[in-house]
Amino acid sequence: MSLELVVSPAGRLSVVELGASRDELQETLSSIEGFSASALKEICHEFGISPSRGLFALAVASPKGSLSGPFAYWRNYARRYLELLCQIPETQRGEIEPIPVPDRAELSRMLLSVPPMRGAEYISLELLESVWELLDEWVREEVASFREGVSGFLSQRAPLWHQVGRVCFHLAENKREPDFPFAFLATYSHRITGENKLQYQPLSRALQEYAGAKNKPGLIKLLSPIDQAAKQSELIRQLVDSREIYHPLAWTPAEAYRFLQEVPLFKESGLLVRLPDWWKKRARPRAGISIGEKSRGKFDADTMLSFRVQLKVGDEELTEAEWRELLAAEDGLMLLKGQWVEVDRARLTEALEHWRTLEAQHGDGLSFIEGMRLLAGASADLQEAGDEIEAEREWSFVQAGDWLNETLTRLRDPETLRRMTVPRDLKATLRPYQEIGFGWLSFLTELGLGACLADDMGLGKTIQILALLLAQKKKRTGKPSLLVLPASLLANWKSELERFAPSLRAKFVHPSEATREELEAMIASPETAFRNADVVLTTYGMLLRQSWLTELEWRFAILDESQAIKNPGTRQTKAVKNLKADARLALTGTPVENRLSDLWSLFDFLSPGLLGSRKQFQEFVKTLQTRTQDSYAPLRSLVQPYILRRLKTDKSIIADLPDKTEVRAYCGLSKRQAVLYRKMVEELSDALKEKENSEGIKRRGLVLSYLMRFKQLCNHPSQMLGNDDYDPSDGGKFARLRQICEEIASRQEKVLVFTQFREITAPLLRFLKEIFGRDGLTLHGGTVVKNRKQLVDQFQAEDGPPFFVLSLKAGGTGLNLTAASHVIHFDRWWNPAVENQATDRAFRIGQKRNVLVHKFVCRGTIEEKIDELIEEKTSLASDVLEGGTEKLLTEMSNDELIRMVSLDLERATTGENL
């Protein structure tokens, strides 16, 4: 179990203990290295009240050691706010003005530095702005409640941040004195003017004022920060000892630079510092390289990128003469091209030598991977230590040249891409964001680059891939594409192909969709079998068994549910990575950047070598964790161009979605289920023969009892047998439920699970707790009526349970459960009206999110056959809708009934290790 700081889909920050209830949370507080148990308890308590209070508590807490990860990130974020808060004059009382949100450039740097964490995908510039504004709103309310204003608030709530005095050190330019171009003055905040502005007086006046008032304690309080600074700064100690600190001083560039280098120390001591505006964004001469200034022909993953060593100040390139002048000057500040620049000759020379060495080693250009690493802020070989490369970048730069920059801009911002013409053969209208996704996939695959389409579940990843395959068909490359997927999704893909892209010629390498003879022909001569195919579909399990698939050349190798290769050591993952293709694609609804090991394995498939070997990557991540700024920015910048992720919570997406989307979730049967199912068909056949001459009511009772048992068996053998074993591996629906709910859990979304059987609600509750790591809720006919509102309120709360298991009769009406964005019908009522009524518990007035409805159907069984009847809306289906399925089935002849319930074994066992 671990204590985690997470961001919810609604953008709320909270501390949670995964795998534990709220009552158990305090037992593992010491799991966060750096904070004491008491400090963590306080932080958790404050987050429980509000995110703003939690952030403030996190910022002012004193860790015993260095922090890393989400706690460090959000602590630094809140401390940035406190730094600005502490600059408000101590004498200001009552309400204070809002502290402005950092500009977009600073927020963008914060965004790039987000560490892997649960909910990282929900962090955006808008969220960072919102969190800042909420923190500011809470702080200003608190400050207003203190008579002493900011001073009283900080003194009580953040003693370490409470600055004892308000002495201010000023450094300004003195342009009238070329030999002494800087002026220094120490002042103190004297009073508030009638215009409500802070008035500063020279520090020397403080001696007179406080001595005249005989206020020795006040003078000590005022001068204490100077004393604190003098203990750590030789410069301040000299100024104090000589008493020059009480007088205006004219300084040389060297003296000013010495002062500027110690500004952080002065602020830590409680002093205010006022500096020239240019110092904050001070220019430095830097040596570096510009990569890919001109095209070298076709750009793809094998392209060698040109690069040129340059010397620049800001955006201006320096001549050799200016560079020599720079290196001849003293270290410190130098006036160059009308602006003050910071000079460190040793560091500049070292930076220049570094790039000259690179130039000598790579005379023919940089490899694509090396260039991408450098542009992301990492080293070319991922080997340099975090502190070393971070320091080096202060005096050097890497930038994309005009040609490469244009290409990378289109990679990083798909909306800038030229809109691709959607193939006419696609029997659907793409939504705007799907058109963008189709264009982005087309762009990357044409470049031969790997692409990960990581859209939320329900946003149509499948249809974007079908559009891509149809567009590819027109190019007649002579190579089919390979689509690898979990066996449980074979039926879904086949259905989508038939519905949206019937002109695509598809071949299935799987016994559920191909005869034994067809499979044998494929194995004997795949080139012949696939000669006219556009796409070949197989499963992860079959890829292991049919190794010849890894020996063929494919146009695209596409992985659906690509989290299947998150464990790099498995045989399955190794088989997938052996595939040969012009371009590799991955589809997933699970956040890919929040677990580093998963991220590496995925990119080892998509773009082998980009993140180095597994060992290299682990070392690289360690160096990122040691960086004091922009810790994870290089990694995020490196992988960002190859990941397209759209969330259903995006305002531009949700407005374009239907209110609800219904999908079939096809499930296989386990071997045990298949054996029992066939046996039960035989039993029914024998029983029907025995009662052939019986009265209609007896035959009807027999048929209904068997239909119920078939339904129970499709759910799980233990339900039909009446025992409580419920081993998940014995039930195909449990495997599919895990697959769907793991993705829902990774997104921190909520789900309703409906069943018509009360007896299976408890096993489902236990199973889902394993997946979500939290307790859920259940409601059935035995639930006390007066408790129902409490259960609904619990589920509707933002931090409430993530899943709710309901029996269809008890939960199908009268409940408002709009917190759920997913509805799962674990078993089918075989009456669409009843199912829709249950679905509408989530889709109600007040619902602000798209609802995705998953209807479980066991392939090759009576469930699939009934579902097909309802879907086709034939006259037979009309009878189902009006008179009920049971009535229809009981009136069938014996032969018709046996055909209806008989098992298609190959289709039914698609989920068994294939």
Side-chain angles (χ1 to χ4, degrees), residues 283-294:
R284 280 176 171 157
R286 296 188 298 162
I289 57 171
S290 179
I291 302 174
E293 291 187 344
K294 296 180 180 179

Side-chain angles (χ1 to χ4, degrees), residues 32-95:
I32 300 298
E33 184 178 354
F35 283 119
S36 65
S38 60
L40 275 169
K41 184 175 182 180
E42 176 64 19
I43 291 169
C44 291
H45 172 75
E46 292 297 302
F47 267 110
I49 299 174
S50 79
S52 295
R53 291 177 66 115
L55 281 173
F56 187 84
L58 184 61
V60 302
S62 300
K64 295 178 290 185
S66 61
L67 293 173
S68 62
F71 280 88
Y73 176 82
W74 288 107
R75 184 169 187 263
N76 291 336
Y77 175 93
R79 286 169 70 90
R80 177 74 181 99
Y81 174 85
L82 280 183
E83 288 173 1
L84 298 179
L85 178 68
C86 288
Q87 293 181 18
I88 295 175
E90 195 175 41
T91 51
Q92 187 163 335
R93 303 287 187 266
E95 294 185 6

